[in-house]
Amino acid sequence: MAELKGLAGARERWVSTGGIELCVAELGDPTRPTVVLVHGYPDSKEVWSQVAERLADRFHVVLYDVRGHGRSTAPTPLRGGFTLEKLTDDFLAVADAVSPDEPVHLVGHDWGSVQSWEFATVRRTEGRIASFTSMSGPSLDHFGHWIKKRMARPTPRRVGQLLGQGAKSWYVYMLHTPVLPELAWRGPLGKRWPKILERMEKVPAGDYPTPSLPSDAAHGAWLYRDNVRARLSRPRADAYAHVPVQLVLPLGDIFLSERLYDELELWAPGLVRRTLPAKHWVPRTRPDQLSAWISEFVLANEEREAGVPAQRTKATGKHAERFGGQLVLVTGAGSGIGRATAFAFAEAGARVVAVDRDTESAARTAEMAQLIGAPQAWAETVDVADEQAMEKLAEKVAAEYGIVDVLVNNAGIGLSGSFFDTTPEDWKKVLDVNLWGVIHGCRLFGKQMAERGQGGHIVNTASAAAFQPSKALPAYSTSKAAVLMLSECLRAELAGQGIGVSAICPGLVNTNITATARFAGVDAEEEKRRQKKSSRLYGLRNYPPEKVADAILTAVVRNQAVVPVTPEARGAHLMSRFTPKALRAVARLEPPL
Amino acid sequence: MTPAVVRELSAELRGFREVQSLAYECAEAVAAQLKPGVTEREAARMQREWLRERGVRDWFHLPFAWFGDRTAFAGFRIPLQFFPTNRKLEAGMPFILDMAPVYKGCTADIGYSGSLGPNPVQDKLLADLEAHRELIVREVRERRSLREIYEDVDRLMVRQGYANRHRAYPFGVIAHKVDRVKERRISPTLFGFGTQSLKGLASDAVHGHRDGWSPLWSPYKFSDHPPQPGLWAVEPHLGFRGTGAKFEEILVVTDSKDPEQSAFWLDDDLPHVRRWAEGI
C-alpha cells in the first residue's frame, strides 16, 4: 500500500463516527497492551512511523489520521467540525474498535497532545484510558488558566512569561486569518514545507511529510479556529487528569515555552517529567528516546494496574527527568571522578556502562550504581589506550546495550617531573591514555552517536593543567591541553547534529590519581614518598570528586563548552585569559613536594 | 572474622562489656520504637531516658541521633550540627543512634545504624563495614602506626567507593580512648560531653603528649605512633551519597606479646557482628 509507506506491515481498518471515516493503522500483537498514537498539526499518522516501529514488538500500536488529515475524511462544513468534543468522539470510536475491553495508553504530540489532554480530563472517557504521554501540546484549558493567572497579577516575571509565549504563538494568530493560510499551504508553503522542516527543525529528509500535507494543513487550520479562542477565554475549571500523565518536554521547542508546564502538577497529580534537548518534531528526530520512555511508562502503569509492586529503586537525582533511561558510558569509572560521575548518572536513573582497566573496581562501580537508581549497569574491563580493545568495546556496547547517549572520556593518568627527566616511554604512556584514550572514545562512540542522528553528548575530562602551564607537569599538561582543543574542535564539528561536547577542567581534586602518578627522574623510593606527599596535600585540599561529577551533569544539561570546576581552576582559567603573564610566573614555581 | 575467643576477662573489662551491651540494648530498643514522624531530638531523648531508667547517671557524650542524609553528615561544617535536630524520620530513611553512657564508672561508646523499612544502600554499607572491623584489629596486632592504619582504612573505603565520614568528627578521629570515670554526685556536661570524661581525655592528652602518643586516633602527625594499650572506642563511618553507616565499639589493646591477646574486640556479641554472622 503506497499510503502506508513508512508503516510497513501495518493492518488498516476504517472506523466511522459521526459521518466521518477515520483511517486507522495497527501494528503488533493485539493481545498486548494497546498504545494509541495521536498526531499533531500539520501532520498525519505517518509522523509516528519510527516510534510505532520501535513499539510494535512490545505493544499493540494503533495510529489514526485525525479527521480532515491523511486519508480520513473531513467534516462538512469545516467550520465547527473540529471541536474538541467531536475529536473526543473520534478517539472513543477508535478505542472501542481496537481495544473494546481494555483501556488504552494514549500518546499525543502537538495537537494530538492538545486533544489528548481533553480526552484525559473529561468524564466520559474515564475507564477507557490507562495512561497518557504528552509532548509539545498543552491542554487549552490549562493554557487558559495559565494566561488568566498571569494577567490577574502581572509581576515582571509573569509579564515576561506572557510575552515570551505570546511571541512563540505567532503562527496561531496567522492561522486565525481567513482563507490566506489555506492558500499558502496549498501553494508555495506546502511545497517548501519539507525543506523548511529539514533546515529549521532538523527533521531528517525521507518519506515524511506525506503528499497529503497541503490538505492536512489547510483542514487543520480549523483545529485552531474552532477551539483556541473558545477555550482560552473560557477554560474549564475541572480539567484534572483522571489518568497518570508523563510529560515529555523538548527544551528547544520554538512554539511552546517550558514555563507553560510550571504548575502542571496541580492538574495532573503524580506527573512524570522528562526533558529532551531537541526541537518540536521529536517523533521524527528522537524516536529511540521517545519509544523508550513510552515503553517504560506504559509498562510501569500496566504493572501497577496488575498489582505488581514497583521493583526498581526510584531515581532521585537532580537531573532524573533529563537522564532517566539514557545510556551513559564512563571510562576510568573504577575510581575518583569517573566513579563519582557514574554514580551521579545512576542516581539520575541512567543506564551505566562502567569502563576501567581494573575489573574489580569497574564491577564494584556497576554494582553500586544499580543500588542507587541505575535500572541497569554493566562493568567492562578495557584499557582505553588499546585501540583494538576499544573497538571491540564499541561493537559490544552497540550490540548489547545500545547507542550511547552520553559518553564520558574520563580515564587519565598523572605524570610529573622535569621535561628532561621525562623519557620517550613516559611520554608515550601518558599520551596513550590521556589523549589517545579520548580520541578512541570520541572516534568510536561519537561516530555511533552521529550515525544514529538522534543527538547525544560527549564529555572529555581535561584538566586545569590544560591552561595552567607548570614546569612540574610538562607531559601531563600537554596531553590535557590537547584534550581541551580536541573537545573544542569536535564541538564545532558535531554542533549541527545535536551532539554537544564539553571539556571539564577539574583542578586539584582528592582522588587516587596522585597515589598512582608517575614521578619522572626519581628512584622508586622517592617516587613513593612523593606520591604519598602529594596524596596528603590533595587530601588536605579535600575537594570531593562528587562535586566534579555534579559539574559534569550540569555541563551536559546546559551543553557547556569548557567547565573549570574548583575555585583554583576557575581562577587559572580567568588568568589565562586576562593575565597570562602572572600565570606564567606561577608555572615557574617548584611544587611543594 | 575472628572466632569468638573465650577469654577470662578481668573484672574491669567485664564492667566495660556490661555497659557496652547495655548501650547496644538501648539502641535496639529505641530503634524498634522509631516510626515515621519521630524527630532526632525525640530519638535522642528516648535513648537518654531508657538509660537513665537503668541507672546511667554520667555520659562520655549525650546520645546523638542522625536521620536521612545527616547519617552521612551531608553539609556538616561546624560541630554544632552533630546535635539532634527536628528532622523527622520517614519511611526508608537510614538512621544512626550514637551514645556513650557511663555506668558504674565504666564508659561505653557505641554507634548503631539502621533504617526505617528496607534500605538496600545502607544494608550494603553495613555489610562492607565487616572488612573494616577485621582490618583494624589485624593492623593493630601488627603494631602499625595509628596514622598508617587510618590511611589503610581510608584506602579500603575509597576502593569500596565510599567517602570517609569519620573525618567530620572533631579532629577527624576514627577512634578515641575511653577509660574509667570517677562517679560524682553531679555530672555536668559541656557541649554534650561529660566533664569527667573530658577531664580524663585531657589528662591522657597531656601525658601522651610528653610520651609521644595521643588519645585521639586521627590522620595527623600526632597519631603517628603504635597503638597505646588501653580501651579504644573505634568508629569507622562510611558515607555514600546521602546514606551513612557506622559501628562503634571498644577495642582492647594490651601490651601482651601474644598477637591474639595484644588486641581484641571487647565483645563479639553485638548487633552488627551478629548480622554479618547471619549473612544478611
Side-chain angles (χ1 to χ4, degrees):
Chain A
M1 277 177 281
E3 287 85 356
L4 287 183
K5 208 165 75 172
L7 281 173
R11 305 178 294 278
E12 190 189 271
R13 71 156 98 185
W14 295 85
V15 172
S16 37
T17 152
I20 306 282
E21 293 289 315
L22 295 174
C23 176
V24 181
E26 289 175 76
L27 289 102
D29 180 356
T31 60
R32 300 281 178 87
T34 304
V35 177
V36 178
L37 308 171
V38 190
H39 70 80
Y41 173 88
D43 287 317
S44 58
K45 64 180 181 306
E46 283 74 15
V47 74
W48 289 112
S49 61
Q50 296 175 7
V51 175
E53 214 171 85
R54 286 164 172 79
L55 293 173
D57 56 348
R58 263 174 291 181
F59 303 111
H60 174 215
V61 183
V62 176
L63 316 90
Y64 68 95
D65 284 321
V66 173
R67 53 169 63 198
H69 296 69
R71 294 200 296 144
S72 295
T73 57
T76 39
L78 290 167
R79 178 189 299 272
F82 287 87
T83 56
L84 287 169
E85 290 73 21
K86 291 188 175 159
L87 296 170
T88 310
D89 293 341
D90 290 358
F91 162 72
L92 282 172
V94 172
D96 287 343
V98 296
S99 174
D101 305 321
E102 293 294 318
V104 300
H105 296 270
L106 189 59
V107 180
H109 171 250
D110 187 87
W111 254 94
S113 169
V114 175
Q115 45 177 307
S116 296
W117 270 112
E118 174 81 1
F119 310 159
T121 54
V122 291
R123 293 278 143 241
R124 60 188 173 124
T125 57
E126 264 178 67
R128 296 302 295 133
I129 306 174
S131 79
F132 169 37
T133 298
S134 160
M135 52 197 88
S136 294
S139 154
L140 291 181
D141 301 304
H142 302 167
F143 197 175
H145 286 293
W146 186 88
I147 294 173
K148 276 195 164 49
K149 194 168 174 182
R150 276 152 187 78
M151 302 278 256
R153 266 198 70 218
T155 61
R157 169 174 306 185
R158 288 174 163 188
V159 171
Q161 292 177 352
L162 271 176
L163 292 177
Q165 181 54 49
K168 287 182 175 199
S169 294
W170 57 271
Y171 64 98
V172 179
Y173 320 135
M174 306 286 258
L175 284 167
H176 278 83
T177 46
V179 191
L180 285 178
E182 279 90 337
L183 286 176
W185 278 115
R186 293 195 191 275
L189 184 56
K191 203 180 285 169
R192 303 226 175 94
W193 187 245
K195 279 269 168 273
I196 295 175
L197 275 188
E198 204 179 322
R199 194 169 319 138
M200 305 289 292
E201 285 287 325
K202 310 282 181 209
V203 172
D207 52 6
Y208 192 83
T210 49
S212 64
L213 171 81
S215 77
D216 297 346
H219 290 149
W222 288 98
L223 288 169
Y224 292 86
R225 294 168 187 162
D226 276 349
N227 297 301
V228 171
R229 269 181 303 173
R231 285 304 176 99
L232 292 192
S233 53
R234 284 180 302 282
R236 283 163 50 210
D238 62 343
Y240 295 99
H242 51 70
V243 297
V245 183
Q246 166 172 254
L247 174 74
V248 178
L249 185 55
L251 298 173
D253 197 322
I254 57 166
F255 305 112
L256 297 157
S257 154
E258 32 178 317
R259 297 278 79 82
L260 278 179
Y261 305 101
D262 279 351
E263 291 131 13
L264 195 55
E265 274 82 357
L266 296 177
W267 300 105
L271 179 75
V272 175
R273 283 175 180 269
R274 308 283 194 185
T275 59
L276 199 56
K279 297 193 166 192
H280 182 77
W281 262 273
V282 279
R284 301 306 300 177
T285 57
R286 298 286 184 273
D288 282 349
Q289 185 64 75
L290 284 191
S291 46
W293 281 340
I294 293 169
S295 302
E296 193 185 317
F297 192 62
V298 167
L299 290 176
N301 281 301
E302 283 287 317
E303 280 178 7
R304 204 174 44 83
E305 280 299 302
V308 181
Q311 283 162 4
R312 287 219 341 250
T313 317
K314 207 163 171 267
T316 52
K318 202 164 71 178
H319 299 298
E321 48 190 69
R322 168 75 166 74
F323 296 114
Q326 293 208 324
L327 184 63
V328 178
L329 184 139
V330 185
T331 68
S335 60
I337 295 172
R339 184 176 254 179
T341 305
F343 288 157
F345 276 112
E347 242 174 14
R351 299 178 298 138
V352 176
V353 185
V355 179
D356 201 279
R357 60 178 173 179
D358 182 59
T359 310
E360 199 185 315
S361 50
R364 176 87 192 172
T365 303
E367 184 196 354
M368 301 299 293
Q370 272 177 308
L371 273 183
I372 54 173
Q376 288 165 302
W378 305 273
E380 296 290 342
T381 316
V382 173
D383 181 353
V384 292
D386 183 342
E387 184 181 340
Q388 264 130 39
M390 283 294 277
E391 271 169 17
K392 252 192 222 141
L393 174 72
E395 274 168 35
K396 182 179 175 192
V397 169
E400 291 178 18
Y401 316 141
I403 304 295
V404 171
D405 294 299
V406 181
L407 166 69
V408 185
N409 285 308
N410 163 78
I413 54 173
L415 171 62
S416 174
S418 119
F419 173 72
F420 296 106
D421 289 334
T422 309
T423 63
E425 285 74 48
D426 288 335
W427 272 99
K428 200 170 145 13
K429 207 167 159 196
V430 82
L431 289 179
D432 271 353
V433 177
N434 290 7
L435 178 58
W436 276 102
V438 175
I439 294 175
H440 292 319
C442 292
R443 200 169 54 84
L444 298 162
F445 293 102
K447 193 171 175 200
Q448 291 177 359
M449 267 182 213
E451 275 172 1
R452 176 178 66 165
Q454 296 183 35
H457 203 100
I458 299 177
V459 179
N460 294 329
T461 307
S463 165
F467 37 76
Q468 161 75 69
S470 160
K471 71 176 193 180
L473 295 164
Y476 180 78
S477 306
T478 305
S479 70
K480 289 301 188 180
V483 169
L484 181 60
M485 185 48 85
L486 169 66
S487 311
E488 294 264 32
C489 296
L490 200 57
R491 183 180 172 88
E493 178 164 350
L494 293 176
Q497 300 173 57
I499 300 175
V501 181
S502 305
I504 307 294
C505 307
L508 302 182
V509 178
N510 190 9
T511 71
N512 65 351
I513 193 169
T514 45
T516 55
R518 162 118 181 77
F519 288 81
V522 296
D523 58 20
E525 198 179 319
E526 174 63 12
E527 182 170 53
K528 225 189 188 111
R529 197 193 65 77
R530 290 195 184 184
Q531 285 173 348
K532 215 167 178 177
K533 186 80 194 285
S534 55
S535 297
R536 275 194 189 144
L537 281 175
Y538 276 57
L540 278 179
R541 170 74 184 86
N542 199 23
Y543 195 90
E546 284 76 20
K547 283 197 183 176
V548 183
D550 287 345
I552 289 179
L553 265 70
T554 311
V556 178
V557 169
R558 297 193 192 149
N559 192 15
Q560 291 166 304
V562 180
V563 184
V565 183
T566 59
E568 63 270 15
R570 273 181 278 158
H573 192 234
L574 272 179
M575 285 168 78
S576 72
R577 283 200 261 170
F578 300 110
T579 58
K581 267 193 177 169
L583 214 55
R584 284 180 204 126
V586 174
R588 295 183 183 193
L589 297 176
E590 192 70 52
L593 286 177
Chain B
M1 70 165 269
T2 48
V5 188
V6 185
R7 252 178 262 277
E8 273 304 307
L9 294 179
S10 67
E12 186 167 4
L13 283 187
R14 245 180 284 134
F16 280 99
R17 190 160 77 171
E18 199 184 323
V19 56
Q20 177 167 290
S21 63
L22 181 73
Y24 266 108
E25 221 175 284
C26 166
E28 287 187 308
V30 170
Q33 292 172 45
L34 292 179
K35 52 181 190 285
V38 172
T39 65
E40 290 182 351
R41 279 167 201 254
E42 284 162 1
R45 191 180 314 124
M46 281 153 79
Q47 298 172 54
R48 217 164 53 224
E49 281 166 5
W50 196 97
L51 288 167
R52 281 195 74 83
E53 278 169 21
R54 283 154 187 82
V56 170
R57 288 291 170 272
D58 195 4
W59 306 88
F60 180 84
H61 65 69
L62 289 170
F64 290 107
W66 302 301
F67 293 169
D69 66 358
R70 280 174 50 84
T71 55
F73 302 150
F76 278 34
R77 292 192 192 285
I78 53 166
L80 285 176
Q81 288 173 295
F82 285 104
F83 289 108
T85 65
N86 284 325
R87 167 161 309 186
K88 287 194 169 91
L89 194 61
E90 292 163 22
M93 250 192 194
F95 61 80
I96 295 179
L97 307 176
D98 188 309
M99 69 199 94
V102 177
Y103 182 61
K104 294 183 188 160
C106 295
T107 311
D109 194 347
I110 68 130
Y112 180 90
S113 309
S115 57
L116 193 65
N119 184 322
V121 176
Q122 207 198 26
D123 286 349
K124 182 79 188 150
L125 286 157
L126 274 169
D128 288 334
L129 273 170
E130 185 178 8
H132 291 276
R133 194 172 185 261
E134 282 167 21
L135 175 98
I136 290 166
V137 72
R138 187 174 68 240
E139 298 202 345
V140 169
R141 281 173 183 165
E142 290 166 9
R143 286 298 184 259
R144 304 270 291 274
S145 110
L146 293 183
R147 190 189 195 187
E148 259 177 66
I149 302 175
Y150 189 104
E151 284 170 351
D152 284 344
V153 170
D154 229 23
R155 267 190 282 276
L156 177 57
M157 285 185 177
V158 168
R159 241 195 348 270
Q160 289 173 333
Y162 301 136
N164 167 352
R165 292 320 295 152
H166 46 262
R167 209 193 150 101
Y169 293 128
F171 304 99
V173 294
I174 189 177
H176 55 83
K177 278 196 75 173
V178 291
D179 219 329
R180 287 200 75 87
V181 172
K182 279 206 190 94
E183 285 178 280
R184 295 287 166 94
R185 214 152 35 82
I186 49 163
S187 45
T189 58
L190 187 65
F191 291 112
F193 284 84
T195 45
Q196 290 299 322
S197 303
L198 281 180
K199 223 167 87 185
L201 209 55
S203 107
D204 262 358
V206 171
H207 287 119
H209 187 69
R210 284 186 211 141
D211 306 336
W213 61 274
S214 161
L216 299 175
W217 182 342
S218 78
Y220 304 114
K221 217 174 233 164
F222 62 76
S223 288
D224 212 352
H225 60 81
Q228 183 70 15
L231 302 182
W232 292 83
V234 183
E235 45 181 337
H237 192 145
L238 308 180
F240 183 60
R241 310 196 77 85
T243 304
K246 72 179 281 190
F247 68 79
E248 181 165 14
E249 55 174 305
I250 289 178
L251 178 72
V252 184
V253 179
T254 67
D255 45 15
S256 160
K257 288 274 176 284
D258 174 13
E260 284 275 294
Q261 291 295 325
S262 70
F264 54 89
W265 297 105
L266 178 64
D267 192 355
D268 277 329
D269 188 21
L270 299 177
H272 50 276
V273 186
R274 286 198 296 268
R275 183 188 170 97
W276 298 327
E278 286 161 17
I280 303 171

